[in-house]
Amino acid sequence: MPALFNRTHKNALPQTGKPLIALFSPNLGGGGAERVLVNLAHGLCARGFPVDVVLVSATGVLLADLPRSARVVDLRTSRMALSLPALCRYLIQQRPHSLLAFLDHANIIAICAGFLAGGRTRIVASVHSLWPMTEDSFQYGWKTRLISLFARRVYQHAFAVVAVSNAAADKLAHSIGLERKRISVIYNPVITPVFLEHSSEAATHPWFDAGQPPVIVGMGSLYPVKDFPTLLRAFAKVRAHSPCRLMIMGEGERRGELEQLAESLGVSRDVTLPGFIANPFPNLKRAAVFVLSSRHEGLGNVLIEALALGVPCIATGCNGGPAEILAGGRYGVLIPVGDVDAMATSISAALQRTNAAVPEAAWQPFTLTAATDAYERILA
């Protein structure tokens, strides 16, 4: 039986006369999609919507960041595939007007549960990453291939499908044969009052003290898709002729490899990997330059954050969201994926330039207000 708990309402949702909206995710770990869920929950609750946050397992560092009026529904299952019966029971018992699912496997389970529960709830799938092209899908793992196979059959039955960038929408349409006009594009709610408040706090790392060398910042999970080895190699080239340091904020399975690479490049004393930081924004705000080195990105939330904080940005033009965020290079530098020399040259140039002001129009499409407006039109 799903467990419903709430820190202030004792299992009761606020009676506002507005329809109940459910947000569904595996958990609330520190990933970008999970942060989007939390931000959107704040936006919807602030507008008086009763909100259920439905989790396969009610765990994760972002649980504490949910609005107090949101009710958490713990399906208490160990894996997404095993959550289908519990999600069906939730839909039958609570009858939310809409359910927005986050991440590909959650989308599939949600659409199936909506069908099995009688189809009374609007099921909305959201896609936060670039899908592999159909003809290339067999270079990916079996889980990705299985998800692709189910998605081709299941996504057709969603009430709506949302992608976080035009690039992600185009790739999804091509990969699973869904009509492009059926996919809505809603940029993530990245710039929020909480973000602006947190970014104004003081940085505590000594590298940001007055008189210290400039700090280049990267940020994201330490996984292959983020391609931090390229950033490390580019940094080593820059460090050879300019005093500077590199901070990569995030945690993941490739930490050991990155530490070994920094050692082999002879730059380990000027590189720090501080792990997951609950509030990384004071550090990001004080970066001399921010570098997004990813091989692909559905959107690129941290690039938006750096842009809004006025930090010079360099990003790979990785056939995804970064090119849209930087308006094709108008608001930052776009470089080829995996190009160490181009990255090093761009970093060196950024360290020599005086920072130019970034117009508010650059990050305005990624505000909480803009995203909540768009999601409300679909979910309510």
Side-chain angles (χ1 to χ4, degrees):
M1 193 74 175
L4 288 76
F5 62 91
N6 182 281
R7 289 153 290 186
T8 57
H9 293 283
K10 297 182 179 179
N11 297 349
L13 285 163
Q15 300 300 311
T16 64
K18 292 191 175 184
L20 170 62
I21 294 174
L23 308 176
F24 176 53
S25 177
N27 54 50
L28 285 182
E34 293 88 344
R35 172 57 69 184
V36 169
L37 185 156
V38 170
N39 290 347
L40 185 58
H42 277 277
L44 292 169
C45 286
R47 297 187 181 191
F49 286 96
V51 173
D52 275 351
V53 177
V54 184
L55 303 172
V56 172
S57 175
T59 58
V61 295
L62 296 180
L63 267 173
D65 293 344
L66 286 169
R68 296 188 64 81
S69 59
R71 184 171 63 175
V72 177
V73 180
D74 186 0
L75 299 184
R76 297 189 292 191
T77 51
S78 59
R79 296 172 58 187
M80 176 61 69
L82 301 177
S83 69
L84 181 59
L87 184 58
C88 287
R89 288 195 295 272
Y90 164 77
L91 293 176
I92 292 169
Q93 292 168 4
Q94 301 299 319
R95 297 190 177 185
H97 180 70
S98 300
L99 181 144
L100 173 63
F102 291 77
L103 303 172
D104 300 319
H105 50 331
N107 291 336
I108 292 169
I109 293 298
I111 295 167
C112 291
F115 174 78
L116 293 172
R120 288 184 292 267
T121 297
R122 295 179 177 182
I123 305 296
V124 180
S126 66
V127 176
H128 293 256
S129 60
L130 289 182
W131 275 61
M133 301 293 277
T134 303
E135 59 267 25
D136 296 332
S137 62
F138 284 92
Q139 68 178 293
Y140 295 85
W142 68 268
K143 288 185 179 180
T144 300
R145 296 199 298 270
L146 190 61
I147 289 172
S148 297
L149 178 63
F150 277 109
R152 291 182 67 87
R153 297 179 180 276
V154 171
Y155 275 42
Q156 306 282 350
H157 301 287
F159 174 81
V161 178
V162 173
V164 297
S165 67
N166 286 291
D170 293 344
K171 198 75 173 290
L172 178 67
H174 178 91
S175 297
I176 68 171
L178 192 65
E179 287 185 276
R180 178 60 179 82
K181 66 182 181 181
R182 288 205 58 205
I183 306 172
S184 301
V185 174
I186 302 177
Y187 288 134
N188 286 339
V190 177
I191 309 305
T192 70
V194 172
F195 162 77
L196 297 172
E197 179 183 339
H198 285 177
S199 65
S200 67
E201 295 179 8
T204 57
H205 198 285
W207 280 9
F208 296 103
D209 291 346
Q212 295 296 311
V215 181
I216 299 151
V217 168
M219 185 167 144
S221 301
L222 307 183
Y223 292 114
V225 67
K226 301 300 182 182
D227 197 13
F228 288 127
T230 291
L231 176 55
L232 273 169
R233 293 187 176 97
F235 169 74
K237 285 180 173 286
V238 176
R239 181 67 185 82
H241 59 76
S242 299
C244 57
R245 289 166 169 165
L246 173 64
M247 174 182 288
I248 301 176
M249 294 182 283
E251 195 52 84
E253 62 187 21
R254 297 302 175 95
R255 165 179 285 277
E257 294 178 25
L258 293 172
E259 291 172 339
Q260 290 174 12
L261 179 58
E263 188 72 34
S264 69
L265 292 169
V267 296
S268 58
R269 294 184 62 180
D270 290 312
V271 173
T272 183
L273 282 72
F276 175 82
I277 300 175
N279 180 16
F281 305 122
N283 291 348
L284 180 60
K285 186 176 183 178
R286 289 158 180 81
V289 59
F290 171 75
V291 182
L292 187 144
S293 53
S294 300
R295 296 177 185 174
H296 57 80
E297 287 279 356
L299 185 60
N301 292 351
V302 67
L303 183 60
I304 298 165
E305 292 160 347
L307 200 64
L309 294 175
V311 180
C313 293
I314 298 167
T316 51
C318 53
N319 298 319
E324 291 181 45
I325 294 167
L326 297 181
R330 187 186 313 164
Y331 302 130
V333 178
L334 291 167
I335 59 173
V337 173
D339 192 327
V340 173
D341 290 335
M343 187 177 290
T345 299
S346 298
I347 292 172
S348 294
L351 292 177
Q352 300 302 317
R353 285 195 299 266
T354 302
N355 295 355
V358 177
E360 187 173 325
W363 48 266
Q364 204 61 41
F366 310 102
T367 61
L368 178 59
T369 298
T372 307
D373 285 346
Y375 274 111
E376 183 177 346
R377 287 192 287 269
I378 293 175
L379 297 173

